[in-house]
Amino acid sequence: MKPPLLLIGQGSQDDAYAAEFGRFVHRLRCRLDQTGADVSGGYLERATPRLSDSVASLVARGHHRLVALPLSLSRVSDDFPAAMAREQQRHPTLMYDYGRPLGPDPRVLALLAERLNDAATEISRPRPLELAGARPRLRAVDSLPPEEHNAHVEPGDTAVVLVGEGSTDATANAEIHRVSRLFWETHAYDFMTVETAFVSVTPPGVPGGLERCRRLGAKRVIVVPYLLFAGGLLERVWAQALAYGAGHPDLDIRCAEVIGDCETLADVVIDRYEEALQLVPRP
């Protein structure tokens, strides 16, 4: 039997994100079950299942070696190795190998291109905040008049804003700029530009990225979240785009979806898992 795969999430109190994380873990469990590999997922903080609970469950089922893979698009913080070191103290027989973060894998960039193309063809815009349960959420709807639906804008007049989470770690922020450049040269070369923005913590924010595109002469801007799953961060991206668009009605602003739970993303994770297995000594 192969060592189990442990997916590690940073953690969020957002129910939508947690639900999609759970669906993705289930997808991987179904895929790897054919090879006899167990799959579990846990969060570092703010959400359940906690990483400590997932590790304890794996150990209780007789697993004493595993592959720990941060489910992250960007540079992994020191929180991940510190958390696994604590688990090793709790379970002295536990051994683990790290899988590489997903990063700008060519398949991840291809998924971003799909989300970009969907946003370009569906002509959807975020509509105003509405209450869904006890919290405000955004919905993407076709809210333009028919004559504007048919307006043609050349790719050369269309800019892209790729939006990352934002971090106090300058290296992590620089990685998002690198992804923007890679994305422009590999999948968005027909567009005017691919600018970088961040949801929070570090500038430029989404309005700053949109403003730069407007000043460059863009007639249309497509906001592409560099995020794995839907949830509060996506809502913040859309809300910032909506607020900017309210003051610039002549600029056609569209918002793409996140990468999301899908087979291609699962392919990338499984490849990271298999790669890490090469470091595991054979019995």
Side-chain angles (χ1 to χ4, degrees):
M1 179 180 291
K2 291 183 177 180
L5 168 62
L6 175 64
L7 291 175
I8 308 175
Q10 182 66 49
S12 171
Q13 293 176 329
D14 187 278
D15 293 341
Y17 183 98
E20 194 158 11
F21 180 89
R23 287 193 294 271
F24 187 64
V25 170
H26 178 72
R27 180 188 296 274
L28 286 167
R29 189 172 291 136
C30 294
R31 290 273 302 268
L32 290 176
D33 181 64
Q34 303 170 19
T35 65
D38 201 349
V39 179
S40 186
Y43 293 106
L44 292 181
E45 56 186 356
R46 299 195 303 273
T48 55
R50 299 298 294 269
L51 175 63
S52 56
D53 296 332
S54 295
V55 171
S57 177
L58 288 172
V59 172
R61 297 201 296 273
H63 298 294
H64 296 280
R65 184 155 203 149
L66 55 83
V67 172
L69 194 151
L71 196 58
S72 172
L73 289 171
S74 57
R75 182 174 179 268
V76 176
S77 71
D78 294 337
D79 294 342
F80 287 86
M84 288 305 300
R86 288 192 296 271
E87 294 310 312
Q88 202 165 36
Q89 289 178 348
R90 292 190 183 102
H91 308 280
T93 62
L94 178 66
M95 301 182 70
Y96 59 90
D97 297 276
Y98 271 120
R100 288 190 298 125
L102 307 184
D105 184 281
R107 290 162 293 184
V108 170
L109 296 180
L111 286 171
L112 288 178
E114 290 180 17
R115 305 301 177 260
L116 170 63
N117 292 331
D118 288 344
T121 56
E122 290 177 3
I123 314 184
S124 61
R125 283 185 173 178
R127 73 181 180 187
L129 286 167
E130 63 179 18
L131 284 178
R135 59 183 302 174
R137 291 186 181 276
L138 285 164
R139 299 287 186 267
V141 296
D142 291 338
S143 57
L144 298 178
E147 62 273 12
E148 292 189 46
H149 278 283
N150 297 324
H152 177 71
V153 178
E154 293 290 341
D157 293 321
T158 301
V160 177
V161 177
L162 187 136
V163 184
E165 290 189 32
S167 171
T168 56
D169 184 343
T171 303
N173 295 330
E175 176 68 13
I176 305 302
H177 283 277
R178 175 173 172 266
V179 172
S180 294
R181 184 70 193 191
L182 284 171
F183 185 57
W184 190 9
E185 293 197 8
T186 57
H187 292 284
Y189 42 82
D190 287 339
F191 290 83
M192 174 186 291
T193 184
V194 176
E195 296 295 322
T196 305
F198 300 94
V199 182
S200 61
V201 181
T202 188
V206 176
L210 291 168
E211 176 63 14
R212 179 167 175 77
C213 294
R214 186 187 70 82
R215 293 190 179 191
L216 288 172
K219 297 178 181 178
R220 173 176 294 156
V221 183
I222 302 176
V223 178
V224 178
Y226 187 56
L227 304 171
L228 280 176
F229 302 133
L233 284 178
L234 177 62
E235 292 170 6
R236 290 169 66 182
V237 171
W238 285 14
Q240 291 180 36
L242 179 68
Y244 180 88
H248 301 83
D250 294 335
L251 184 63
D252 181 2
I253 300 173
R254 306 181 185 182
C255 294
E257 295 287 349
V258 293
I259 292 171
D261 166 34
C262 62
E263 285 296 316
T264 300
L265 186 63
D267 290 339
V268 178
V269 170
I270 291 172
D271 282 353
R272 295 289 189 272
Y273 168 68
E274 295 290 346
E275 176 185 89
L277 285 181
Q278 303 306 311
L279 303 175
V280 179
R282 299 298 179 187

